[in-house]
Amino acid sequence: MAYANASVVIDGELDQIFEFILDGRNNKKWRPGVKTVEYPSEEPIGPGAVFLQEMNGPPSRTIKADYKIIECDRYKKISFFILNGPYTPVGSFSFEVTGNQVSVEFSMEEAGVVSPEREKHFQKVVNDIYNLQEHFERK
């Protein structure tokens, strides 16, 4: 299994941090590889929600990386599945509150795949969580 994870501790309110991450239209604010992201539905964001996303790919290419939310345990966990792109992992965000701080863990895994290249790519993606921490510190 190809797997990677990273976590940060953010000073802030759990509901604001959770809702910010849940709404994938915010991805461009903290994930530098995201070129565009849309939520083409009028439905509330939750399980089954699909975000249409394009990422910067290798030399001047754009890669589709649409994803579907598969789990939304309010203020505890968000899981999603990448629908297309070179890799199709499952990703998740887990949340834990301690005092005025929220610990957020971001992980990605692709079952049945043993690939150091994919693990390296997944680690680069989950490390974007550090940008999320910077986003909330600037507020």
Side-chain angles (χ1 to χ4, degrees), residues 47-98:
V50 174
F51 287 87
L52 306 178
Q53 182 172 254
E54 294 182 328
M55 309 286 294
N56 292 319
S60 304
R61 287 187 32 215
T62 298
I63 296 172
K64 292 190 70 57
D66 303 336
Y67 68 94
K68 180 178 185 176
I69 296 176
I70 55 176
E71 179 183 0
C72 181
D73 186 356
R74 247 335 171 237
Y75 308 125
K76 294 181 183 169
K77 186 174 184 179
I78 301 166
S79 295
F80 61 92
F81 177 73
I82 302 295
L83 299 171
N84 46 30
Y87 307 131
T88 53
V90 171
S92 67
F93 294 93
S94 299
F95 303 82
E96 190 173 310
V97 176
T98 305

Side-chain angles (χ1 to χ4, degrees), residues 1-48:
M1 167 176 59
Y3 176 82
N5 76 320
S7 62
V8 293
V9 175
I10 301 170
D11 291 329
E13 299 293 323
L14 172 61
D15 60 339
Q16 292 174 359
I17 296 166
F18 183 93
E19 297 298 333
F20 182 85
I21 293 171
L22 180 63
D23 188 343
R25 293 170 292 193
N26 291 319
N27 287 351
K28 283 185 68 170
K29 296 177 182 175
W30 66 280
R31 298 198 54 218
V34 175
K35 289 179 78 168
T36 65
V37 62
E38 299 174 27
Y39 181 60
S41 176
E42 298 290 324
E43 296 296 317
I45 299 170

